[in-house]
Amino acid sequence: MANTCFHCLEPIPKGFVGEIVYQNQTQGVCCIGCQAVAETILAQGMSDYYKFRTTSAGKVDELVPEQLSLIKSYDNADVQQDFVTHQGELSEVLLSVEGISCAACAWLIEKQLLALTGVNRVDVNTSTHRAMIIWDAKQVLLSDIIQSLMQIGYKAYPFQADDEATQKQAVAKAYIRRLGVAGLMTMQVMMFAFAMYFGMFSGMEEDFEQYFRWISLILASPVILYSALPFLTNAIKGLKAKQLNMDLPVSLAIFGAYGASCYATVMEVGEVYFESICMFTFLLLLGKYLEFRARLKASEFTANLQKLLPLTARKVTEHDQEHIVAAKNLKLADKILVKPGETIPADGLVIEGSTSVDESMMTGEHLPVAKHHGHQVFAGTVNHDGVISLEINKIGQNTLLNQIIRLQHSALSKRPKLVEITDKVAQWFVACLLVFASLTAFGWYSVSPEQAFWVTISVLVATCPCALSLAIPTALTCAVATLTKKGVLIKEGHVLETLTKLTRVAFDKTGTLTEGRFSIDHTVLIDNNYSKHDALALAASLERYSEHPISEAFSEHLMHHHTLTDVQVHPGVGISAKLNTDTIAIGKSSWFNGHQSQAQATLFVNEQAVADFHLNDKVRDNAHSVVKSLQKNGLTCHLLTGDSSKAGEQLALQLSLDSQQSSCSPKDKLHTVESWSRQGEVVAMVGDGVNDSPVFNSAHLSIAMETGADISKNVADVVLLKSNLNAILSLQQIALKTRRIVKQNLAISLVYNASILPLAALGLIPPWIAVIGMSASSIIVIGNSLRLLKL
């Protein structure tokens, strides 16, 4: 039996006897923990983990009671509010997982968790060491999921957005350390190399020259074996996963040159190029570090959003006493006081006072927004000039700010088809590059064996397709960040790509092309047994159960509360309820047979019309200019409204729309958009998100105006966080600009590779220039993408 543990690869202590059976052979383990984990992995049919792992699994620690208690606390609903979100009956959590080292770890974790009853989906990111898990809390507890990971040797805990900066700092420090070692040692090796190149050691015995070679080898080794090690590690991981990544040709160049120089030093033959390898590694790391800083800048907006939240809040107790408490400890229904100039610590409703609030952090609009009793305010916004009291109605992951952050991360993690295509192209490019480099090596070896090796290295490095792989992701990241600053929240990865292909835009009317702020113009009584006052009171009692914008028109008439039972909302039609023995309803004038009217709403008692309500709804100031601009850009604009009155027809004429359909139910809108799609049209649907869920699912692109609905449950691809149609033009403009920049990035990367390849193959590009060229092409591509942040 081996002296090292089969699971964690650490030495087995003397006197400890533990073993497992793997592939009919007995294997030793170092402790009970490793034995339990290995047996769990093998018992569940996941033995392939031990075939494909690239590093040690890590020592397994047994759980102490304190750890078990902490894990069990994650099942508490109050605790989960900070890190768990809900999608219907399913829950979603992002876990930080310690011990992930390779793709085999991700495979093992996914297989282990998906074997649990109630776990629906597991996505493991090996680069960030995080796992996104969706599960049914009724079937399995979060603590069970975390303990299941512990059983196979991985420690997990809920990821918090505050840790993002810490992680990035750690990555930056790692880059600096590796750069520091490479830079320091490169200077020392270059000192000896220059001295020998310029004859400063001429006349010296050959033994001393060999002595300086050995010193150069010792100084270069930390650069290659430490600073350049991540390139080799990533290349090996790629090969294990049967993928050719960009680190493969770089690793071949660095470690091939290092091996050749070591051979020349030991055997005392040929030339050594330790200085070239060190400078090559230093420049390569410098380019990677600059890439990292550029990417970091593109994602700064989301990180800064989290920093907008204050650490403290003024909590008001039952006796009107004011106490300073930690903002993260606020609970639902807590009352807080916000003074002028302070940042609002949580989402809530204004219950006392009035003020104006700066909401530019989420809408991009710097004009103050008036707030008074009953208005919603959001965490991270700034109170301008009034003292207000708030009642907290959303905390933790349910606040608008955290929803924006989470949805932006989700959009950036979803890969558009174009990105997948370029990744595949890059893999094929690497394969072709390796073949071409081999042919170059054979060709030069027959001409000049001494130069063949270094020409081949130049080819490998100069033509590495790093810029090609960065061309699209960096542009998309910058575009999403810019749109978020402008109050346009992208929820799906395909949005920017689809926007450039649109041929038709369909608009809902109420709350979209109009402001959705209704007022009653006049009331027409149909049944003389009811007075105008009675009809309005009944209508108001029903409408208070509605989320439709029309309901606001009746709120001032809610002077007498009727006790209603069996209240039912009929999407796209209206609301019905029982009042004593009568059935009352309000909705479309054509809801029940026998009544025809151009009114926006009709009150029915026992399916008989009682009163027609004619409403006013102001058209948005910028609706006409937005429609005109979209048509100028080659798109046709259409109106799909559920309004059965002539208002839709009048609005279509007023805005010069290409067509309009009135009295549309949600199903009618769905069928219309589907018929357009069958005709080859690429359709965007713009609505208020209340009754538009079916048509949003069928449209190629769905855009929701700001709505009272929880945006995390909104099915739209895009959410406009301010009710301004101009945001649609900004969205289209940035999508077109992004497409241009993506094309430019692809052109830059392809032209660079096409032009430098023959030069490198002809031996006109030394290795150190090849490094500068490769890094420069990547930095130019990133810099070009960063222009999107200035729109």
Side-chain angles (χ1 to χ4, degrees), residues 561-601:
H561 289 274
H562 292 89
T563 303
L564 303 180
T565 59
D566 193 23
V567 178
Q568 295 183 35
V569 177
H570 307 269
V573 182
I575 299 176
S576 66
K578 286 284 188 181
L579 177 60
N580 299 324
T581 59
D582 293 326
T583 299
I584 61 172
I586 187 170
K588 282 187 174 183
S589 297
S590 57
W591 189 352
F592 299 107
N593 294 331
H595 180 67
Q596 297 295 329
S597 171
Q598 295 300 318
Q600 282 86 353

mmCIF file of all heavy atoms in Angstrom, residues 561-601:
data_model
loop_
_atom_site.group_PDB
_atom_site.id
_atom_site.type_symbol
_atom_site.label_atom_id
_atom_site.label_comp_id
_atom_site.label_asym_id
_atom_site.label_seq_id
_atom_site.Cartn_x
_atom_site.Cartn_y
_atom_site.Cartn_z
ATOM 1 N N HIS A 561 -66.472 51.647 2.135
ATOM 2 C CA HIS A 561 -65.936 50.311 1.867
ATOM 3 C C HIS A 561 -67.065 49.293 1.851
ATOM 4 O O HIS A 561 -67.783 49.137 2.842
ATOM 5 C CB HIS A 561 -64.905 49.921 2.939
ATOM 6 C CG HIS A 561 -63.637 50.697 2.837
ATOM 7 N ND1 HIS A 561 -62.603 50.322 2.012
ATOM 8 C CD2 HIS A 561 -63.239 51.837 3.445
ATOM 9 C CE1 HIS A 561 -61.615 51.189 2.126
ATOM 10 N NE2 HIS A 561 -61.985 52.123 2.991
ATOM 11 N N HIS A 562 -67.205 48.608 0.700
ATOM 12 C CA HIS A 562 -68.158 47.502 0.629
ATOM 13 C C HIS A 562 -67.429 46.214 1.011
ATOM 14 O O HIS A 562 -66.269 46.014 0.622
ATOM 15 C CB HIS A 562 -68.731 47.364 -0.789
ATOM 16 C CG HIS A 562 -69.610 48.503 -1.193
ATOM 17 N ND1 HIS A 562 -69.107 49.634 -1.808
ATOM 18 C CD2 HIS A 562 -70.949 48.697 -1.055
ATOM 19 C CE1 HIS A 562 -70.104 50.471 -2.051
ATOM 20 N NE2 HIS A 562 -71.237 49.920 -1.598
ATOM 21 N N THR A 563 -68.104 45.376 1.761
ATOM 22 C CA THR A 563 -67.510 44.098 2.149
ATOM 23 C C THR A 563 -67.701 43.101 1.009
ATOM 24 O O THR A 563 -68.807 42.609 0.773
ATOM 25 C CB THR A 563 -68.147 43.556 3.434
ATOM 26 O OG1 THR A 563 -68.011 44.538 4.461
ATOM 27 C CG2 THR A 563 -67.475 42.263 3.867
ATOM 28 N N LEU A 564 -66.620 42.827 0.307
ATOM 29 C CA LEU A 564 -66.683 41.941 -0.867
ATOM 30 C C LEU A 564 -66.106 40.573 -0.531
ATOM 31 O O LEU A 564 -65.165 40.460 0.268
ATOM 32 C CB LEU A 564 -65.908 42.552 -2.037
ATOM 33 C CG LEU A 564 -66.339 43.957 -2.483
ATOM 34 C CD1 LEU A 564 -65.472 44.404 -3.655
ATOM 35 C CD2 LEU A 564 -67.808 43.986 -2.862
ATOM 36 N N THR A 565 -66.642 39.559 -1.142
ATOM 37 C CA THR A 565 -66.127 38.197 -0.990
ATOM 38 C C THR A 565 -65.889 37.585 -2.365
ATOM 39 O O THR A 565 -66.376 38.090 -3.378
ATOM 40 C CB THR A 565 -67.124 37.310 -0.208
ATOM 41 O OG1 THR A 565 -68.381 37.285 -0.916
ATOM 42 C CG2 THR A 565 -67.342 37.851 1.202
ATOM 43 N N ASP A 566 -65.125 36.493 -2.358
ATOM 44 C CA ASP A 566 -64.855 35.750 -3.601
ATOM 45 C C ASP A 566 -64.351 36.679 -4.712
ATOM 46 O O ASP A 566 -64.821 36.643 -5.849
ATOM 47 C CB ASP A 566 -66.121 35.012 -4.058
ATOM 48 C CG ASP A 566 -65.818 33.980 -5.159
ATOM 49 O OD1 ASP A 566 -64.653 33.538 -5.234
ATOM 50 O OD2 ASP A 566 -66.724 33.656 -5.939
ATOM 51 N N VAL A 567 -63.379 37.523 -4.367
ATOM 52 C CA VAL A 567 -62.808 38.452 -5.348
ATOM 53 C C VAL A 567 -61.927 37.673 -6.323
ATOM 54 O O VAL A 567 -61.059 36.903 -5.903
ATOM 55 C CB VAL A 567 -62.000 39.555 -4.659
ATOM 56 C CG1 VAL A 567 -61.386 40.486 -5.709
ATOM 57 C CG2 VAL A 567 -62.869 40.341 -3.693
ATOM 58 N N GLN A 568 -62.153 37.860 -7.615
ATOM 59 C CA GLN A 568 -61.371 37.172 -8.636
ATOM 60 C C GLN A 568 -60.880 38.165 -9.678
ATOM 61 O O GLN A 568 -61.656 39.004 -10.150
ATOM 62 C CB GLN A 568 -62.214 36.094 -9.329
ATOM 63 C CG GLN A 568 -62.640 34.954 -8.416
ATOM 64 C CD GLN A 568 -63.401 33.888 -9.177
ATOM 65 O OE1 GLN A 568 -63.094 33.616 -10.336
ATOM 66 N NE2 GLN A 568 -64.380 33.290 -8.526
ATOM 67 N N VAL A 569 -59.605 38.060 -10.018
ATOM 68 C CA VAL A 569 -59.023 38.897 -11.068
ATOM 69 C C VAL A 569 -58.992 38.075 -12.353
ATOM 70 O O VAL A 569 -58.443 36.959 -12.372
ATOM 71 C CB VAL A 569 -57.601 39.355 -10.694
ATOM 72 C CG1 VAL A 569 -56.986 40.154 -11.839
ATOM 73 C CG2 VAL A 569 -57.624 40.178 -9.417
ATOM 74 N N HIS A 570 -59.568 38.608 -13.410
ATOM 75 C CA HIS A 570 -59.605 37.925 -14.709
ATOM 76 C C HIS A 570 -58.644 38.661 -15.658
ATOM 77 O O HIS A 570 -58.976 39.754 -16.144
ATOM 78 C CB HIS A 570 -61.020 37.935 -15.282
ATOM 79 C CG HIS A 570 -62.062 37.389 -14.337
ATOM 80 N ND1 HIS A 570 -62.423 36.066 -14.308
ATOM 81 C CD2 HIS A 570 -62.793 38.003 -13.361
ATOM 82 C CE1 HIS A 570 -63.340 35.867 -13.377
ATOM 83 N NE2 HIS A 570 -63.583 37.036 -12.788
ATOM 84 N N PRO A 571 -57.422 38.141 -15.881
ATOM 85 C CA PRO A 571 -56.420 38.848 -16.678
ATOM 86 C C PRO A 571 -56.951 39.290 -18.035
ATOM 87 O O PRO A 571 -57.548 38.501 -18.768
ATOM 88 C CB PRO A 571 -55.293 37.816 -16.824
ATOM 89 C CG PRO A 571 -55.454 36.912 -15.651
ATOM 90 C CD PRO A 571 -56.929 36.832 -15.412
ATOM 91 N N GLY A 572 -56.740 40.553 -18.344
ATOM 92 C CA GLY A 572 -57.137 41.096 -19.632
ATOM 93 C C GLY A 572 -58.616 41.386 -19.764
ATOM 94 O O GLY A 572 -59.062 41.840 -20.819
ATOM 95 N N VAL A 573 -59.390 41.113 -18.691
ATOM 96 C CA VAL A 573 -60.840 41.324 -18.774
ATOM 97 C C VAL A 573 -61.323 42.249 -17.668
ATOM 98 O O VAL A 573 -61.933 43.280 -17.915
ATOM 99 C CB VAL A 573 -61.600 39.976 -18.702
ATOM 100 C CG1 VAL A 573 -63.105 40.228 -18.829
ATOM 101 C CG2 VAL A 573 -61.135 39.042 -19.806
ATOM 102 N N GLY A 574 -61.069 41.907 -16.399
ATOM 103 C CA GLY A 574 -61.523 42.752 -15.303
ATOM 104 C C GLY A 574 -61.502 42.031 -13.976
ATOM 105 O O GLY A 574 -60.782 41.036 -13.800
ATOM 106 N N ILE A 575 -62.328 42.518 -13.015
ATOM 107 C CA ILE A 575 -62.397 41.959 -11.664
ATOM 108 C C ILE A 575 -63.853 41.698 -11.311
ATOM 109 O O ILE A 575 -64.734 42.519 -11.624
ATOM 110 C CB ILE A 575 -61.789 42.933 -10.632
ATOM 111 C CG1 ILE A 575 -60.316 43.196 -10.944
ATOM 112 C CG2 ILE A 575 -61.918 42.405 -9.217
ATOM 113 C CD1 ILE A 575 -59.684 44.207 -10.023
ATOM 114 N N SER A 576 -64.097 40.568 -10.642
ATOM 115 C CA SER A 576 -65.453 40.262 -10.185
ATOM 116 C C SER A 576 -65.410 39.920 -8.702
ATOM 117 O O SER A 576 -64.353 39.553 -8.164
ATOM 118 C CB SER A 576 -66.050 39.093 -10.976
ATOM 119 O OG SER A 576 -65.335 37.898 -10.711
ATOM 120 N N ALA A 577 -66.586 40.047 -8.028
ATOM 121 C CA ALA A 577 -66.665 39.733 -6.605
ATOM 122 C C ALA A 577 -68.126 39.542 -6.222
ATOM 123 O O ALA A 577 -69.049 39.855 -6.999
ATOM 124 C CB ALA A 577 -66.025 40.838 -5.779
ATOM 125 N N LYS A 578 -68.334 39.044 -5.020
ATOM 126 C CA LYS A 578 -69.676 38.885 -4.468
ATOM 127 C C LYS A 578 -69.949 40.001 -3.456
ATOM 128 O O LYS A 578 -69.128 40.267 -2.584
ATOM 129 C CB LYS A 578 -69.793 37.526 -3.765
ATOM 130 C CG LYS A 578 -69.881 36.328 -4.693
ATOM 131 C CD LYS A 578 -71.263 36.197 -5.317
ATOM 132 C CE LYS A 578 -71.393 34.881 -6.077
ATOM 133 N NZ LYS A 578 -72.724 34.764 -6.707
ATOM 134 N N LEU A 579 -71.085 40.657 -3.600
ATOM 135 C CA LEU A 579 -71.556 41.642 -2.638
ATOM 136 C C LEU A 579 -72.914 41.151 -2.138
ATOM 137 O O LEU A 579 -73.918 41.265 -2.858
ATOM 138 C CB LEU A 579 -71.673 43.027 -3.274
ATOM 139 C CG LEU A 579 -72.234 44.122 -2.362
ATOM 140 C CD1 LEU A 579 -71.348 44.316 -1.130
ATOM 141 C CD2 LEU A 579 -72.353 45.446 -3.125
ATOM 142 N N ASN A 580 -72.926 40.566 -0.941
ATOM 143 C CA ASN A 580 -74.126 39.889 -0.432
ATOM 144 C C ASN A 580 -74.505 38.769 -1.418
ATOM 145 O O ASN A 580 -73.735 37.857 -1.649
ATOM 146 C CB ASN A 580 -75.263 40.876 -0.218
ATOM 147 C CG ASN A 580 -74.883 41.952 0.812
ATOM 148 O OD1 ASN A 580 -74.189 41.650 1.778
ATOM 149 N ND2 ASN A 580 -75.336 43.175 0.601
ATOM 150 N N THR A 581 -75.662 38.881 -2.050
ATOM 151 C CA THR A 581 -76.078 37.831 -3.007
ATOM 152 C C THR A 581 -75.818 38.214 -4.450
ATOM 153 O O THR A 581 -76.055 37.420 -5.373
ATOM 154 C CB THR A 581 -77.585 37.526 -2.833
ATOM 155 O OG1 THR A 581 -78.331 38.726 -3.063
ATOM 156 C CG2 THR A 581 -77.860 36.987 -1.434
ATOM 157 N N ASP A 582 -75.349 39.460 -4.667
ATOM 158 C CA ASP A 582 -75.125 39.948 -6.030
ATOM 159 C C ASP A 582 -73.684 39.687 -6.478
ATOM 160 O O ASP A 582 -72.750 39.696 -5.676
ATOM 161 C CB ASP A 582 -75.415 41.446 -6.120
ATOM 162 C CG ASP A 582 -76.888 41.760 -5.910
ATOM 163 O OD1 ASP A 582 -77.720 40.927 -6.335
ATOM 164 O OD2 ASP A 582 -77.189 42.811 -5.316
ATOM 165 N N THR A 583 -73.545 39.501 -7.773
ATOM 166 C CA THR A 583 -72.210 39.420 -8.385
ATOM 167 C C THR A 583 -71.937 40.743 -9.077
ATOM 168 O O THR A 583 -72.668 41.148 -9.985
ATOM 169 C CB THR A 583 -72.140 38.288 -9.420
ATOM 170 O OG1 THR A 583 -72.411 37.046 -8.769
ATOM 171 C CG2 THR A 583 -70.765 38.231 -10.063
ATOM 172 N N ILE A 584 -70.898 41.422 -8.626
ATOM 173 C CA ILE A 584 -70.537 42.695 -9.256
ATOM 174 C C ILE A 584 -69.210 42.527 -9.957
ATOM 175 O O ILE A 584 -68.377 41.706 -9.587
ATOM 176 C CB ILE A 584 -70.473 43.845 -8.222
ATOM 177 C CG1 ILE A 584 -69.399 43.560 -7.159
ATOM 178 C CG2 ILE A 584 -71.830 44.063 -7.565
ATOM 179 C CD1 ILE A 584 -69.163 44.737 -6.223
ATOM 180 N N ALA A 585 -69.018 43.310 -11.012
ATOM 181 C CA ALA A 585 -67.802 43.203 -11.807
ATOM 182 C C ALA A 585 -67.513 44.535 -12.471
ATOM 183 O O ALA A 585 -68.427 45.327 -12.744
ATOM 184 C CB ALA A 585 -67.938 42.106 -12.856
ATOM 185 N N ILE A 586 -66.225 44.782 -12.743
ATOM 186 C CA ILE A 586 -65.820 45.954 -13.516
ATOM 187 C C ILE A 586 -64.713 45.526 -14.464
ATOM 188 O O ILE A 586 -63.826 44.746 -14.097
ATOM 189 C CB ILE A 586 -65.353 47.123 -12.615
ATOM 190 C CG1 ILE A 586 -65.110 48.373 -13.470
ATOM 191 C CG2 ILE A 586 -64.113 46.760 -11.815
ATOM 192 C CD1 ILE A 586 -64.891 49.634 -12.660
ATOM 193 N N GLY A 587 -64.824 45.986 -15.690
ATOM 194 C CA GLY A 587 -63.821 45.596 -16.675
ATOM 195 C C GLY A 587 -64.188 46.085 -18.057
ATOM 196 O O GLY A 587 -64.816 47.141 -18.211
ATOM 197 N N LYS A 588 -63.797 45.302 -19.055
ATOM 198 C CA LYS A 588 -64.068 45.685 -20.430
ATOM 199 C C LYS A 588 -65.564 45.846 -20.662
ATOM 200 O O LYS A 588 -66.374 45.071 -20.135
ATOM 201 C CB LYS A 588 -63.528 44.626 -21.385
ATOM 202 C CG LYS A 588 -62.032 44.685 -21.614
ATOM 203 C CD LYS A 588 -61.643 43.701 -22.704
ATOM 204 C CE LYS A 588 -60.164 43.850 -23.049
ATOM 205 N NZ LYS A 588 -59.796 42.944 -24.156
ATOM 206 N N SER A 589 -65.927 46.820 -21.475
ATOM 207 C CA SER A 589 -67.344 47.060 -21.769
ATOM 208 C C SER A 589 -67.980 45.884 -22.486
ATOM 209 O O SER A 589 -69.184 45.650 -22.382
ATOM 210 C CB SER A 589 -67.491 48.333 -22.613
ATOM 211 O OG SER A 589 -67.033 49.459 -21.884
ATOM 212 N N SER A 590 -67.194 45.105 -23.209
ATOM 213 C CA SER A 590 -67.726 43.964 -23.960
ATOM 214 C C SER A 590 -67.627 42.658 -23.182
ATOM 215 O O SER A 590 -67.792 41.581 -23.748
ATOM 216 C CB SER A 590 -66.953 43.816 -25.274
ATOM 217 O OG SER A 590 -65.567 43.660 -25.018
ATOM 218 N N TRP A 591 -67.376 42.757 -21.863
ATOM 219 C CA TRP A 591 -67.160 41.551 -21.063
ATOM 220 C C TRP A 591 -68.370 40.613 -21.141
ATOM 221 O O TRP A 591 -68.241 39.432 -21.398
ATOM 222 C CB TRP A 591 -66.870 41.969 -19.613
ATOM 223 C CG TRP A 591 -66.423 40.834 -18.726
ATOM 224 C CD1 TRP A 591 -66.391 39.502 -19.027
ATOM 225 C CD2 TRP A 591 -65.940 40.945 -17.390
ATOM 226 N NE1 TRP A 591 -65.934 38.773 -17.966
ATOM 227 C CE2 TRP A 591 -65.629 39.637 -16.934
ATOM 228 C CE3 TRP A 591 -65.745 42.009 -16.516
ATOM 229 C CZ2 TRP A 591 -65.142 39.384 -15.657
ATOM 230 C CZ3 TRP A 591 -65.249 41.764 -15.248
ATOM 231 C CH2 TRP A 591 -64.955 40.462 -14.825
ATOM 232 N N PHE A 592 -69.553 41.174 -20.887
ATOM 233 C CA PHE A 592 -70.770 40.358 -20.918
ATOM 234 C C PHE A 592 -71.602 40.706 -22.148
ATOM 235 O O PHE A 592 -71.656 41.867 -22.576
ATOM 236 C CB PHE A 592 -71.590 40.560 -19.642
ATOM 237 C CG PHE A 592 -70.860 40.159 -18.399
ATOM 238 C CD1 PHE A 592 -70.373 41.111 -17.519
ATOM 239 C CD2 PHE A 592 -70.642 38.816 -18.109
ATOM 240 C CE1 PHE A 592 -69.686 40.750 -16.372
ATOM 241 C CE2 PHE A 592 -69.958 38.438 -16.966
ATOM 242 C CZ PHE A 592 -69.479 39.403 -16.094
ATOM 243 N N ASN A 593 -72.264 39.732 -22.720
ATOM 244 C CA ASN A 593 -73.025 39.913 -23.954
ATOM 245 C C ASN A 593 -74.158 40.925 -23.769
ATOM 246 O O ASN A 593 -74.725 41.075 -22.695
ATOM 247 C CB ASN A 593 -73.619 38.580 -24.411
ATOM 248 C CG ASN A 593 -72.526 37.589 -24.809
ATOM 249 O OD1 ASN A 593 -71.466 38.003 -25.253
ATOM 250 N ND2 ASN A 593 -72.800 36.306 -24.642
ATOM 251 N N GLY A 594 -74.463 41.588 -24.844
ATOM 252 C CA GLY A 594 -75.602 42.503 -24.823
ATOM 253 C C GLY A 594 -75.248 43.926 -24.512
ATOM 254 O O GLY A 594 -76.122 44.803 -24.521
ATOM 255 N N HIS A 595 -73.936 44.232 -24.260
ATOM 256 C CA HIS A 595 -73.563 45.616 -23.977
ATOM 257 C C HIS A 595 -72.424 46.037 -24.895
ATOM 258 O O HIS A 595 -71.390 45.365 -24.981
ATOM 259 C CB HIS A 595 -73.147 45.792 -22.524
ATOM 260 C CG HIS A 595 -72.751 47.206 -22.182
ATOM 261 N ND1 HIS A 595 -73.674 48.236 -22.183
ATOM 262 C CD2 HIS A 595 -71.561 47.758 -21.858
ATOM 263 C CE1 HIS A 595 -73.054 49.359 -21.861
ATOM 264 N NE2 HIS A 595 -71.767 49.098 -21.658
ATOM 265 N N GLN A 596 -72.598 47.132 -25.575
ATOM 266 C CA GLN A 596 -71.571 47.686 -26.455
ATOM 267 C C GLN A 596 -71.331 49.137 -26.076
ATOM 268 O O GLN A 596 -72.278 49.913 -25.949
ATOM 269 C CB GLN A 596 -72.016 47.609 -27.923
ATOM 270 C CG GLN A 596 -72.212 46.187 -28.441
ATOM 271 C CD GLN A 596 -70.907 45.412 -28.475
ATOM 272 O OE1 GLN A 596 -69.838 45.988 -28.678
ATOM 273 N NE2 GLN A 596 -71.002 44.097 -28.276
ATOM 274 N N SER A 597 -70.071 49.498 -25.875
ATOM 275 C CA SER A 597 -69.750 50.869 -25.471
ATOM 276 C C SER A 597 -68.302 51.161 -25.820
ATOM 277 O O SER A 597 -67.482 50.248 -25.944
ATOM 278 C CB SER A 597 -69.983 51.042 -23.965
ATOM 279 O OG SER A 597 -69.493 52.288 -23.526
ATOM 280 N N GLN A 598 -67.988 52.448 -25.960
ATOM 281 C CA GLN A 598 -66.619 52.886 -26.215
ATOM 282 C C GLN A 598 -65.912 53.292 -24.925
ATOM 283 O O GLN A 598 -64.809 53.827 -24.944
ATOM 284 C CB GLN A 598 -66.619 54.075 -27.188
ATOM 285 C CG GLN A 598 -67.126 53.731 -28.579
ATOM 286 C CD GLN A 598 -66.278 52.660 -29.246
ATOM 287 O OE1 GLN A 598 -65.052 52.674 -29.161
ATOM 288 N NE2 GLN A 598 -66.946 51.723 -29.917
ATOM 289 N N ALA A 599 -66.538 53.025 -23.781
ATOM 290 C CA ALA A 599 -65.949 53.386 -22.484
ATOM 291 C C ALA A 599 -64.774 52.472 -22.170
ATOM 292 O O ALA A 599 -64.737 51.312 -22.600
ATOM 293 C CB ALA A 599 -67.001 53.286 -21.383
ATOM 294 N N GLN A 600 -63.818 53.004 -21.399
ATOM 295 C CA GLN A 600 -62.651 52.204 -21.011
ATOM 296 C C GLN A 600 -62.999 51.170 -19.942
ATOM 297 O O GLN A 600 -62.299 50.161 -19.795
ATOM 298 C CB GLN A 600 -61.514 53.101 -20.488
ATOM 299 C CG GLN A 600 -60.720 53.798 -21.569
ATOM 300 C CD GLN A 600 -61.362 55.104 -21.995
ATOM 301 O OE1 GLN A 600 -62.475 55.424 -21.558
ATOM 302 N NE2 GLN A 600 -60.679 55.860 -22.838
ATOM 303 N N ALA A 601 -64.059 51.403 -19.146
ATOM 304 C CA ALA A 601 -64.453 50.459 -18.094
ATOM 305 C C ALA A 601 -65.964 50.532 -17.888
ATOM 306 O O ALA A 601 -66.571 51.606 -18.013
ATOM 307 C CB ALA A 601 -63.724 50.776 -16.793
#
